[in-house]
Amino acid sequence: MSKGERISQFVRTLGGEEAKTGGAIADHPYYRAFFRCWNELRYYEAHDVLEQVWLKTTTTSDDAQYFKGLIQAAGAFVHLQKQFEHPTHPKHGRRLAPAVRLFRLAEKNLAPLGAERHAFDLVEFREMLDRNAAVIVESEHKINPWSPETAPHLSLLK
């Protein structure tokens, strides 16, 4: 079974269906699964489901840049979550700097896309990414702003 088939099966378990061509991105089951996984603190899975959409977009399109930015943000939160869960682990304990790099890449990809895209508030999202990166940088990579209690919740506008 390919990774794409595994992801498709996973999205179906979340209650999503196969995507229909020509529909709105905001209604795409993989796009919606990204937000559901994120809010369930399943950032790695959020990354994986949206990656399947990103891989099918034209690399020069604004949507490709948008999906890439969301995927990078999810990756940053994978780092924060792993560091939170295993702060003294030799590998996981050093994940704050990579998280900041992914926050910055996500911000760079999302910045030119305006205030809203596909029923999602990008201004608020970019501000949240910047706040998390700032906490880490200002603490000289010693403070992880993430915890299950403070994890950001994402909502679509429609």
Side-chain angles (χ1 to χ4, degrees):
M1 181 181 295
S2 72
K3 182 176 181 179
E5 291 167 334
R6 284 192 310 275
I7 298 298
S8 181
Q9 187 176 38
F10 173 71
V11 170
R12 280 194 298 277
T13 67
L14 295 176
E17 299 174 11
E18 287 299 317
K20 297 170 183 65
T21 56
I25 295 289
D27 296 327
H28 193 290
Y30 286 36
Y31 183 70
R32 296 184 83 72
F34 168 84
F35 291 93
R36 179 171 175 182
C37 288
W38 180 291
N39 291 333
E40 292 174 355
L41 311 182
R42 296 162 55 171
Y43 304 111
Y44 190 85
E45 291 85 351
H47 166 284
D48 271 356
V49 296
L50 199 57
E51 183 178 59
Q52 295 303 305
V53 178
W54 174 64
L55 291 171
K56 294 178 180 164
T57 60
T58 307
T59 57
T60 58
S61 73
D62 286 348
D63 278 344
Q65 191 172 346
Y66 172 65
F67 298 138
K68 187 176 180 180
L70 293 181
I71 290 165
Q72 289 165 329
F77 278 93
V78 168
H79 285 299
L80 296 185
Q81 186 176 45
K82 293 286 187 188
Q83 195 279 340
F84 178 85
E85 293 169 348
H86 310 283
T88 61
H89 186 275
K91 178 181 176 183
H92 300 316
R94 297 189 314 248
R95 288 183 175 251
L96 296 181
V100 170
R101 283 193 294 277
L102 283 172
F103 282 135
R104 298 301 187 223
L105 287 170
E107 291 171 10
K108 180 180 175 185
N109 278 303
L110 298 173
L113 301 178
E116 179 186 325
R117 189 163 195 89
H118 301 303
F120 185 56
D121 183 338
L122 286 176
V123 172
E124 185 177 307
F125 188 68
R126 288 189 305 259
E127 289 171 353
M128 179 272 296
L129 298 178
D130 186 58
R131 279 192 309 273
N132 279 275
V135 168
I136 297 167
V137 171
E138 290 168 8
S139 73
E140 297 179 352
H141 297 85
K142 291 180 179 33
I143 295 176
N144 182 346
W146 186 90
S147 74
E149 296 76 32
T150 63
H153 182 85
L154 305 182
S155 300
L156 292 173
L157 299 171
K158 68 174 191 173

